[in-house]
């Protein structure tokens, strides 16, 4: 890092302990032009509310400096804080942010914009090397006010500006120091005629107006003002004034094509997808990177979860693990059992939270109780956790920061799926699987139940997961075609063995939830002990067939039994397309093979799509299916 000539200290001198603070799902809006900025920024942030957030803030350029207002909670709190701040209401240039904390507390101090000297800055993404940068900046005299990774970027930018670099050069130098993903928007009190923008791995768009320009993380935020959009690419730096958009990449000016968006505002919120569920299915490649990011060192075969320090210290003493959850999260627990038993060699039980809490639960100090929940507010899961608390060590695996379950548990492992809006859980499930796999590896390392090479191998496969998910999503059209053939059927049977049995359960749950078609998941080997009586041409069977040798052959035998009884069969498999199945299914959906541990996750994706397409064909309310709530806060 270059040595700064000056670093302007801001705020209190009280030391703040840095914490990892990732904000990949936040909303960003910027405005510069001839109108008052505040209503445009607030309106844009309101449009992004669907993404979920826990705090917000706005910074505007005013005569002689920058004014900032931030608040925790909903935008109404920000509006209240802004009321009476006349000085802010007159500005014609500003930046606004809604923060959805995925790690780190949702406080006013952690809310964006962050300031340093003459600079005010907002950020989506993660600065991976922020701890080293912060230490270095602190040694040089910078005083930090927040726990965020973002604040280092504000200090760095301020430093380069103070060193005399031009605004965009300073931005370029700052981006050269940080490692990670980002969409940055910054304003400089000494150059109040422009907004600086930088992008790497986090989406950001520019909107062109007449005598005014806009910047946003998502199209809906600026749709009421313009439909002329310029999408920035990784490595782009932009300087946005009221009349111009200047974009460069690696030092050269670039021209990014202007596009005209024809979406209505609701379609825009869904990122152009017809439903939130479909958007969230497609989100998976990206959010799984968020679940994994900064949590392991592939070379060392090591998993780093500082938030589980307490568990790390006790890892060797744990004699039993009990996983509790409801619905889809319960299916994730069934997969978690496989991971924990095979990696960490600890006996595991999985219980429905609603059952566990009313049984005599034999929990002692050597038991680890894991409550898995997307929302962290499911009453039964919270109740189960309460039963265990004070007896054993408790851990929440949760998506929503600061949710009730997180506050109750001794430790929390966040899944970083981002806000899940559709009632049917999709990306929350897959991120839960990965979080539980990381947890199992973490325990295995500390218990010495896996060699470094074995752990490294598992981690290497996790590295490929986001791209394998992206590849898997290419089956969408084939799944839609199969769904068309099957949409009018009234019953379905989903079969799977081993780690694919929970996937059969999850596939059936998804289908019944949103299409209202009766579906059952069953262990394929159990079929002949009863359900086989149901099989005929009116009962289609979805077989989840993993290539793992022993189970592959056994599942094929089950498939033949089903076919012999006239059932219509859909095979979802990670076997290679060349591999003979010896049966002729109505449809065969192939997903890529990465590793046997990751097969269930990838095989689940076509089932999410199948449920989705069948539901759409049946005209149900996909995102808000009848009788269901996103979080069940009653018994
Ligand atoms: C999933 O599609 C369902 N909507 C439901 O089963 C859900 O998983 C369950 O209610 C648990 O919710 P939680 O993860 O928020 O605790």
């Amino acid at each position: 890092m270059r040595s700064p000539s000056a670093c302007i200290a801001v705020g209190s001198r009280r030391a703040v302990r840095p914490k990892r603070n990732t904000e990949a799902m936040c909303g960003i809006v910027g405005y510069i032009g001839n109108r008052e900025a505040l209503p445009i920024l607030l309106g844009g942030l309101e449009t992004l509310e669907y993404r979920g957030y826990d705090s917000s803030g706005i910074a505007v350029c005013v005569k002689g400096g920058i004014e900032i207002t931030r608040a925790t909670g909903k935008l109404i709190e920000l509006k209240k804080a802004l009321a009476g701040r006349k000085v802010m209401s007159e500005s014609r240039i500003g930046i606004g942010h809604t923060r959805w904390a995925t790690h780190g507390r949702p406080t006013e101090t952690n809310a964006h914009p962050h300031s340093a000297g003459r600079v005010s800055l907002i950020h989506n993404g993660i600065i991976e090397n922020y701890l080293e940068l912060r230490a270095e900046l602190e040694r040089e005299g910078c005083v930090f006010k927040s726990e965020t990774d973002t604040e280092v970027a504000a200090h760095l930018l301020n430093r380069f500006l103070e060193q005399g670099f031009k605004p965009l050069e300073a931005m370029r130098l700052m981006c050269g120091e940080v490692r990670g993903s980002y969409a940055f928007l910054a304003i400089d009190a000494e150059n109040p005629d422009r907004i600086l923008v930088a992008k790497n791995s986090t989406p950001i768009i520019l909107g062109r107006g007449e005598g005014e320009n806009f910047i946003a993380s998502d199209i809906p935020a600026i749709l009421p003002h313009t439909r002329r959009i310029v999408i920035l690419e990784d490595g782009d730096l932009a300087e946005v004034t009221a009349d111009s958009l200047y974009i460069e990449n690696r030092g050269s000016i670039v021209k990014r094509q202007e596009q005209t968006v024809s979406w209505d505002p609701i379609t825009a919120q869904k990122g152009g997808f017809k439903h939130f569920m479909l958007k969230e299915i497609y989100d998976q490649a990206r959010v799984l990177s968020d679940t994994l990011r900064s949590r392991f060192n592939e070379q060392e075969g090591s998993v780093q979860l500082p938030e589980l320090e307490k568990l790390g210290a006790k890892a060797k003493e744990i004699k039993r693990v009990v996983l509790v959850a409801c619905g889809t999260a319960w299916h994730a627990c069934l997969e978690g059992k496989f991971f924990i038993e095979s990696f960490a060699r600890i006996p595991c039980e999985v219980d429905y939270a609603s059952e566990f809490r009313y049984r005599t639960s034999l929990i002692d100090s050597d038991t680890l109780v894991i409550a898995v929940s997307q929302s962290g507010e499911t009453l039964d899961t919270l109740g189960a956790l309460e039963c265990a608390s004070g007896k054993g060590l408790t851990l929440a695996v949760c998506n929503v920061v600061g949710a009730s379950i997180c506050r109750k548990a001794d430790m929390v492992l966040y899944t970083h799926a981002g806000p899940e809006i559709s009632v049917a859980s999709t990306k929350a499930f897959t991120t839960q699987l990965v979080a539980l796999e990381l947890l199992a590896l973490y325990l295995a390392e500390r218990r010495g139940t896996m060699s470094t090479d074995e752990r490294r191998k598992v981690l290497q496969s996790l590295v490929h997961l986001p791209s394998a998910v992206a590849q898997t999503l290419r089956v969408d059209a084939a799944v839609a075609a199969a769904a068309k053939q099957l949409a009018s059927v009234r019953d379905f049977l989903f079969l799977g063995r081993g780690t694919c049995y929970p996937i059969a359960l999850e596939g059936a749950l998804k289908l019944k939830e949103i299409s209202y078609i009766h579906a059952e998941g069953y262990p394929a080997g159990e079929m002949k002990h009863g359900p086989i009586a149901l099989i005929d041409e009116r009962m289609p069977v979805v077989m989840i067939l993993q290539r793992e040798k022993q189970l592959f052959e056994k599942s094929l035998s089950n498939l033949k039994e089903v076919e012999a009884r006239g059932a219509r069969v859909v095979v979802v498999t990670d076997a290679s397309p060349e591999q003979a199945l010896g049966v002729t299914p109505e449809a065969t959906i192939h997903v890529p093979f990465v590793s046997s541990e990751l097969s269930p996750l990838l095989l689940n994706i076509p089932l999410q799509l199948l449920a989705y397409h069948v539901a759409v064909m049946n005209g149900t309310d996909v995102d808000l299916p009848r009788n269901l709530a996103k979080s069940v806060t009653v018994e």
Side-chain angles (χ1 to χ4, degrees), residues 325-331 372-379 381 397 405 420 422-426 428 432 506 509-510 513-514 625 628-632:
C326 303
T328 288
W330 183 77
H331 298 151
V372 180
S373 173
Q374 186 286 129
S375 62
E377 301 296 343
T378 302
L379 195 72
T381 312
V397 175
I405 286 168
E420 192 179 65
S422 180
V423 164
S425 197
T426 52
Q432 282 161 357
E506 174 60 9
L509 177 68
K510 215 85 309 171
E513 262 190 304
I514 59 168
L628 291 173
K630 184 63 186 160
S631 61
V632 183

Side-chain angles (χ1 to χ4, degrees), residues 385-411:
L385 195 60
E386 272 160 2
C387 288
S389 96
K391 297 180 193 152
L393 201 55
T394 57
L395 164 67
V397 175
C398 189
N399 190 36
V400 178
V401 170
S404 305
I405 286 168
C406 307
R407 296 200 303 273
K408 188 87 222 160
D410 297 326
M411 297 156 291

